[in-house]
Amino acid sequence: MLFEKFKIREIEFKNSIVVSPMCQYSSVDGFANDWHLLHFGSRAVGGAGLVITEAAAVSPEGRITHEDLGIWKDEHIEFLKRINSFVEGQGAVPGIQLAHAGRKASHTSPWKGSKVLTAEDGGWTTFAPSEIGYKETDPLPKAMTKADIKKFISDCATAAERSVKAGFKLIEIHAAHGYLLNEFLSPLSNHRTDEYGGSFENRIRILLEVVDATRNVLGESLPLFVRISVTDWVEDGWTENDSIALVNILKDKVDLIDCSSGGNSPAQKIPVGPMYQVPFAEKIKKET
C-alpha cells in the first residue's frame, strides 16, 4: 500500500511517503529563499507524496531562533507560493507545519550551540502557560494572559489563511516536542488555575480551540494534521493514556495524528532505537 494512491478529503496523494518537517534554520526575518526551494523541491523530485515544511512560526516571538521560517506576515506568501508551485509540479502535495516555540523560543541555531539568546544578541521575552522555564538555568517565560492566548489562536488562524493563499494543500499543527501547545497539554509545564489549566479537559482546551480555528479556515476540503508528543517520558507528565483520550476527542476534527514523543522536560529518559516511536502510532490507532 505504500505506493498506492489515496485521498484525504479532496486531496489526492500519489503514495504514502511523507517528508516530515525538518528545521533548516536558514531564513532571514522568516522568509523562505532558494535554500528552501532546493530542500523542499528536491524531496518532491525524489518521489514523496507529501512534503511538509519545517515548523513555520505564526508570530515572531514564536520562533525557536532568528533563522526560523515564518508565516506571520503577508510578505512571506510570495516565495512560499513559488516553492509550492514547483513541489506540485513534481506530483507531490505541499504541506506546512504551523508552530509556536513557547518557552523554548529565543535560542541560537544548533550549530551555534542552541543557547538562550541574550538581549544583546537580539533575544526576546518567551511565552508559556506558566512561569516555568524548560531548564532551571533558563530565563523564566511570561505566563500567558487570556488576551495572549486569544492573540495566539488568532495568529494561528491568520497563518492558516496565509498558508492557503501560498498554495499549501495541508496544514499540520505542531503540538509536540515541548513547544507552546505541548506545554499547555502537560502538567509538568502547565500549572494554571484558570480554564486553561488544572484538569485534563482544561489543559487540552487551547489545542481544541486552535484546531477549530484552523478547520474554519480550511473548510471541509483540505486535510488537517496534528503532531503530538504521545508521552513526556517523565513521571507525572503527559502519558500515552492522555494521548489516547485526546485523540478520541480530536478524531472528528482532524484527519491524522502524527505521533512523536518527548521534548518537554530535560528529565526525560527515552529508550531510543530503531522505530521506537512506532508503537505509539500503533496503540493510538487501535484505541481510537
Side-chain angles (χ1 to χ4, degrees):
M1 293 177 65
L2 181 62
F3 298 103
E4 293 180 7
K5 292 181 180 180
F6 72 102
K7 289 183 72 173
I8 300 179
R9 295 187 183 262
E10 295 183 10
I11 303 302
E12 183 173 88
F13 303 82
K14 66 180 180 181
N15 57 48
S16 298
I17 299 171
V18 180
V19 178
S20 286
M22 293 180 277
C23 287
Q24 299 299 294
Y25 304 111
S26 299
S27 295
V28 177
D29 192 29
F31 282 91
N33 53 49
D34 286 346
W35 173 269
H36 301 89
L37 175 62
L38 180 62
H39 172 69
F40 301 126
S42 62
R43 270 76 210 168
V45 170
L50 169 62
V51 179
I52 306 179
T53 68
E54 65 187 275
V58 300
S59 60
E61 64 272 15
R63 291 176 292 175
I64 306 167
T65 75
H66 280 295
E67 294 79 29
D68 284 23
L69 188 67
I71 190 74
W72 69 77
K73 55 185 176 182
D74 292 345
E75 290 80 3
H76 289 146
I77 293 172
E78 183 178 359
F79 204 95
L80 289 170
K81 185 181 292 186
R82 178 186 172 192
I83 293 172
N84 291 338
S85 177
F86 182 85
V87 167
E88 285 198 283
Q90 308 310 307
V93 173
I96 186 170
Q97 186 185 68
L98 301 182
H100 188 300
R103 65 183 183 175
K104 296 178 83 172
S106 189
H107 281 67
T108 62
S109 53
W111 42 85
K112 297 177 184 176
S114 296
K115 299 175 183 176
V116 174
L117 283 167
T118 64
E120 292 75 20
D121 292 327
W124 60 91
T125 300
T126 61
F127 291 84
S130 302
E131 200 175 271
I132 305 170
Y134 175 69
K135 297 178 181 176
E136 291 183 359
T137 55
D138 287 351
L140 293 179
K142 177 182 180 291
M144 295 175 75
T145 64
K146 291 181 184 179
D148 293 329
I149 291 173
K150 185 176 180 180
K151 177 184 180 298
F152 165 63
I153 295 169
S154 175
D155 287 343
C156 290
T158 306
E161 291 172 1
R162 293 191 184 102
S163 299
V164 173
K165 290 178 181 177
F168 289 104
K169 298 299 190 291
L170 177 151
I171 287 177
E172 175 170 277
I173 296 168
H174 199 344
H177 300 169
Y179 298 128
L180 185 62
L181 285 169
N182 190 185
E183 293 164 20
F184 269 92
L185 295 177
S186 173
L188 298 177
S189 44
N190 185 345
H191 292 184
R192 299 176 72 94
T193 57
D194 62 4
E195 65 266 37
Y196 290 99
S199 68
F200 170 83
E201 290 74 18
N202 284 353
R203 285 183 281 112
I204 69 171
R205 187 183 307 277
I206 188 171
L207 175 56
L208 299 184
E209 291 178 349
V210 168
V211 165
D212 288 342
T214 308
R215 173 55 71 201
N216 286 340
V217 172
L218 294 181
E220 295 301 318
S221 61
L222 298 180
L224 178 60
F225 293 3
V226 174
R227 172 175 280 187
I228 62 172
S229 282
V230 178
T231 176
D232 282 334
W233 296 106
V234 177
E235 188 176 356
D236 298 324
W238 182 264
T239 68
E240 288 181 65
N241 287 335
D242 290 327
S243 292
I244 290 167
L246 172 64
V247 176
N248 270 314
I249 295 169
L250 284 177
K251 66 182 181 181
D252 294 326
K253 300 173 179 286
V254 307
D255 301 290
L256 183 141
I257 299 296
D258 181 357
C259 297
S260 191
S261 66
N264 194 43
S265 170
Q268 64 188 14
K269 291 181 174 60
I270 303 178
V272 178
M275 299 192 293
Y276 77 99
Q277 308 268 34
V278 174
F280 295 135
E282 182 181 33
K283 185 171 183 178
I284 285 180
K285 187 168 187 176
K286 179 180 179 182
E287 297 293 330
T288 64

